[in-house]
Amino acid sequence: MKCKVTVLDGQKSSEFYVDSGTNLQKAILENGLQINAPCGGRGTCGNCKAFVSGNVSDITNIERKKLTEEEIQSAARLACQTFVMGDATVHIEQKKSAHIQIEGLDYQVDLSPLVRRINISLPAVSLENCKDDTERIIQSIGEKKLKFIPEALSKISNVINGEDQDLVVTCTDDFIIDIGTKLKETSDYGFAVDIGTTTVVGYLVNLVSGKIEDTISEINDQTYYGADVLSRVSYGKENPDGNEILHTKLVEQLSRMLKKIVDKKGISKENICCMSFAGNTIMMHFLMGLNPFRISVSPFTPVTTASLICSAQDLGIEYHPKCLVYLLPSISGYVGADITAGMLACSLTDKDKIQLIVDIGTNGEMVLSKNGELLSCSVAAGPAFDKTISPLVPISTIS
Amino acid sequence: MKCKVTVLDGQKSSEFYVDSGTNLQKAILENGLQINAPCGGRGTCGNCKAFVSGNVSDITNIERKKLTEEEIQSAARLACQTFVMGDATVHIEQKKSAHIQIEGLDYQVDLSPLVRRINISLPAVSLENCKDDTERIIQSIGEKKLKFIPEALSKISNVINGEDQDLVVTCTDDFIIDIGTKLKETSDYGFAVDIGTTTVVGYLVNLVSGKIEDTISEINDQTYYGADVLSRVSYGKENPDGNEILHTKLVEQLSRMLKKIVDKKGISKENICCMSFAGNTIMMHFLMGLNPFRISVSPFTPVTTASLICSAQDLGIEYHPKCLVYLLPSISGYVGADITAGMLACSLTDKDKIQLIVDIGTNGEMVLSKNGELLSCSVAAGPAFDKTISPLVPISTIS
């Protein structure tokens, strides 16, 4: 039997239908609505409180521990402990989103983007100059080791006509990935994203000047499946397609944020030459669609900590699928690519100084450097200090 | 108005519907039937003769030149010069397919396939051995430069469990492209294809022994769009989607031939680790989906003569899309990758001998080698000697 669920959130009202016996919190999340679930639906944080009328399962002892007698009288429930048994109406009240710190000190970095645009003038073919198109293009660029990817090859037939032509070639270190007639004078941009457990911050970087021209920040859409990484790992383990859902939520959010910043800036997505992503190791796993479960149990083994260059499409980022993407390397299961990025930005490999990086986020990490030697460790932070959540066992690793 | 066309070929009968005014030869080809068209539909060879009754366009002077008075009395027409105006019935008679030479002298080559399978034993993880999966795999193989492609990464989560495991890793020189639990003892095969203008011959090669274990040969499906490469190039130029049609015909045929030989041998397509393709430069262009038109006009410039490594999917070969494919390099517009393959097989770079390769096919090529210097040339052959076709202007290039 299908049950009608009406969700009221402030001025907004939504309706959807679910099977009898469906978990209320899951139903709300799966229908694109949001409800806080920092503990990942285990009934330990009490943050998914909602006022429910209609045909639902009886209140449990877990809920009685988290709700006051007055709340219970007003029909308050924990959505994660409630099952829809017939038509029901749910009042939820979302907390305002957190303030996200996205500014910091300026620092100088050498620009060396993943992707370069090279302007070339290709002379007309003649009996004396009748080499094939790819060879003439590579000669014009002057880098013999470059190879065409199949898609760039396909474009040549449409672009090159054998006459004198001004062309713009898009290359990585090793490959020619695109070719076209000369663009109007527009800038090339990169989109660099810090994927935090709680917040996702994207930076639109001018790849010619190196300046950050715009930023965008949002609460990580995965937050509704658990506030800390371990809650999300257990959501991934305990729910069918759980990891797939968390992966999809993240890449859809990245896709949406890229579109927003591109639209706001008034540029075309083709102006975005490349993207780079950093985050903790578990976020990097969700991003790549990898199962992070073994990071959560001893001896805390990631699938990979290596860097990766691939297309946005390979990750499932559909808004700009052909865009080249760089995923920074992580260090261990609990010292992630965000720390690698920080070490790079702060020149932590500088041998003349003793330096310490401290990153206190949802997880906390430190890296100490001396004489080019680096020592890192990590510990649960953020929600571990939230009085509404029973403290997690701190996990620390030394790499 | 839709017109019903009935095609009778020996015992077979087919029906399809076309718009009034559709060219009869094109309609037959586009509906998956075959009719000879060595001249590419220009009315010069007379090979698309058919006996037509019903509502079609009037006979033309071009046809009167190619048909005898007796044939005209019996309602013979050239399909390429005939347009369907209403319902019509067409009798066609296909010539038997040519005998294809697929055997030759055995010669010794050093095996060095594009793809290797490596068996590794991955020890269980522990607090002392808790490196991430990718690092432990690369360590077991002992080749530090290897990198995982995104798809192989995704498979790790499903395959590796942190216990002692025997695994089989599939690698190219640079990349790990697949990983799985140990296969049963089956052989690895390669599928090497010689894409001739007239005939396509595939060889199933045991990658462990180097032996050719089976062969398959078919008339090139493109033959029905023109017997020689220049007729096909002009078919590609003169018909909307002409090049796309020729590309699709070829990759569908390669896909079908691979499936046939795999089924016949009783192996799984996963046993095919890699494929390699060689053919003349225009065939290589059609294979890659590149427009070969500029090879047909002075100064005869190909889009590319370079070798290419890509996935079968990149080319549109859908039967075994993930299979890695190697396209041999060509030399110039009229000295193709088939000649490169021949030079390799005959050790033409051997500096101690004076050697000559002569390849007389639909096109003819020669390569002379002396002291490591190589000189090649080419000329139209095959249909150029067919009395039913007006000779083409021979084209020769020296590279």
Side-chain angles (χ1 to χ4, degrees), chain A residues 263-335:
Chain A
D263 290 349
K264 185 177 161 206
K265 188 76 187 171
I267 56 177
S268 146
K269 66 180 172 185
E270 276 68 36
N271 290 115
I272 308 287
C273 296
C274 54
M275 300 193 258
S276 63
F277 297 120
N280 65 55
T281 312
I282 290 178
M283 285 300 118
M284 298 310 275
H285 276 56
F286 283 130
L287 176 59
M288 291 186 268
L290 304 178
N291 183 347
F293 177 69
R294 281 182 294 119
I295 303 179
S296 71
V297 292
S298 175
F300 316 111
T301 320
V303 172
T304 191
T305 56
S307 64
L308 179 69
I309 294 176
C310 62
S311 71
Q313 197 164 33
D314 286 332
L315 300 177
I317 298 174
E318 295 301 339
Y319 171 62
H320 188 12
K322 305 292 176 209
C323 190
L324 217 66
V325 169
Y326 178 58
L327 275 63
L328 274 78
S330 297
I331 294 157
S332 71
Y334 290 93
V335 183

Side-chain angles (χ1 to χ4, degrees), chain A residues 172 194 388:
Chain A
T172 66
D194 177 6
T388 64

Side-chain angles (χ1 to χ4, degrees), chain A residues 125-127 130-134 150 153-154 156-157 160-161 288 290-291 294 299 301-305 310 314, chain B residues 125-127 130-134 148 150 153-154 156-157 160-161 288 290-291 294 299 301-305 310 314:
Chain A
V125 290
S126 64
L127 282 171
C130 62
K131 291 229 164 72
D132 58 88
D133 298 338
T134 55
L153 268 184
S154 305
I156 295 183
S157 309
I160 301 209
N161 57 21
M288 291 186 268
L290 304 178
N291 183 347
R294 281 182 294 119
T301 320
V303 172
T304 191
T305 56
C310 62
D314 286 332
Chain B
V125 290
S126 64
L127 282 172
C130 62
K131 290 229 164 72
D132 58 88
D133 299 338
T134 55
F148 278 78
L153 269 183
S154 306
I156 295 182
S157 310
I160 301 209
N161 57 20
M288 291 185 269
L290 305 177
N291 183 347
R294 280 182 295 118
T301 319
V303 172
T304 190
T305 56
C310 62
D314 286 331

Side-chain angles (χ1 to χ4, degrees), chain A residues 225-244:
Chain A
Y225 298 85
D228 60 280
V229 288
L230 291 182
S231 303
R232 285 180 219 168
V233 170
S234 67
Y235 180 88
K237 183 169 170 58
E238 283 157 21
N239 292 276
D241 301 325
N243 284 318
E244 183 58 29

Side-chain angles (χ1 to χ4, degrees), chain A residues 26-306:
Chain A
K26 238 171 124 170
I28 290 172
L29 290 173
E30 282 173 4
N31 283 280
L33 302 172
Q34 297 183 343
I35 186 163
N36 285 324
C39 73
R42 291 174 298 175
T44 56
C45 74
N47 281 8
C48 63
K49 192 170 63 187
F51 296 90
V52 182
S53 58
N55 190 357
V56 295
S57 59
D58 291 339
I59 194 162
T60 63
N61 287 336
I62 292 177
E63 292 171 88
R64 289 188 194 280
K65 282 187 201 158
K66 289 288 165 187
L67 300 168
T68 65
E69 198 49 46
E70 202 186 331
E71 284 173 332
I72 294 172
Q73 291 303 326
S74 323
R77 298 294 300 271
L78 298 188
C80 71
Q81 303 299 310
T82 306
F83 295 84
V84 180
M85 309 308 289
D87 293 350
T89 300
V90 186
H91 290 255
I92 56 178
E93 199 175 305
Q94 286 301 302
K95 291 183 182 164
K96 291 283 161 279
S97 59
H99 172 74
I100 304 169
Q101 179 72 32
I102 52 172
E103 281 153 22
L105 292 175
D106 264 347
Y107 46 86
Q108 199 60 39
V109 287
D110 293 332
L111 277 181
S112 163
L114 192 58
V115 169
R116 308 165 283 158
R117 304 252 204 215
I118 301 171
N119 292 314
I120 58 169
S121 291
L122 207 62
V125 290
S126 64
L127 282 171
E128 293 70 41
N129 172 30
C130 62
K131 291 229 164 72
D132 58 88
D133 298 338
T134 55
E135 195 169 343
R136 289 182 299 119
I137 292 166
I138 289 167
Q139 253 175 10
S140 294
I141 298 173
E143 295 179 31
K144 277 197 175 174
K145 67 165 183 174
L146 288 173
K147 285 179 184 172
F148 277 79
I149 65 165
E151 284 181 354
L153 268 184
S154 305
K155 282 194 78 174
I156 295 183
S157 309
N158 305 326
V159 167
I160 301 209
N161 57 21
E163 309 291 326
D164 284 315
Q165 280 184 298
D166 285 333
L167 300 170
V168 57
V169 184
T170 310
C171 306
T172 66
D173 281 351
D174 300 316
F175 294 100
I176 294 173
I177 59 171
D178 198 10
I179 181 162
T181 47
K182 214 164 178 176
L183 285 178
K184 278 174 277 171
E185 281 309 323
T186 53
S187 275
D188 291 331
Y189 290 93
F191 186 54
V193 186
D194 177 6
I195 305 172
T197 309
T198 308
T199 56
V200 181
V201 185
Y203 302 86
L204 188 72
V205 184
N206 184 314
L207 293 182
V208 179
S209 69
K211 285 266 175 296
I212 294 173
E213 294 200 358
D214 209 344
T215 58
I216 181 170
S217 62
E218 292 187 357
I219 297 288
N220 188 326
D221 280 353
Q222 292 183 336
T223 306
Y224 303 100
Y225 298 85
D228 60 280
V229 288
L230 291 182
S231 303
R232 285 180 219 168
V233 170
S234 67
Y235 180 88
K237 183 169 170 58
E238 283 157 21
N239 292 276
D241 301 325
N243 284 318
E244 183 58 29
I245 289 170
L246 290 165
H247 165 70
T248 306
K249 284 284 160 195
L250 182 55
V251 296
E252 283 178 356
Q253 180 167 28
L254 293 170
S255 205
R256 189 181 68 226
M257 288 173 72
L258 176 62
K259 181 174 186 329
K260 271 190 193 168
I261 207 164
V262 160
D263 290 349
K264 185 177 161 206
K265 188 76 187 171
I267 56 177
S268 146
K269 66 180 172 185
E270 276 68 36
N271 290 115
I272 308 287
C273 296
C274 54
M275 300 193 258
S276 63
F277 297 120
N280 65 55
T281 312
I282 290 178
M283 285 300 118
M284 298 310 275
H285 276 56
F286 283 130
L287 176 59
M288 291 186 268
L290 304 178
N291 183 347
F293 177 69
R294 281 182 294 119
I295 303 179
S296 71
V297 292
S298 175
F300 316 111
T301 320
V303 172
T304 191
T305 56

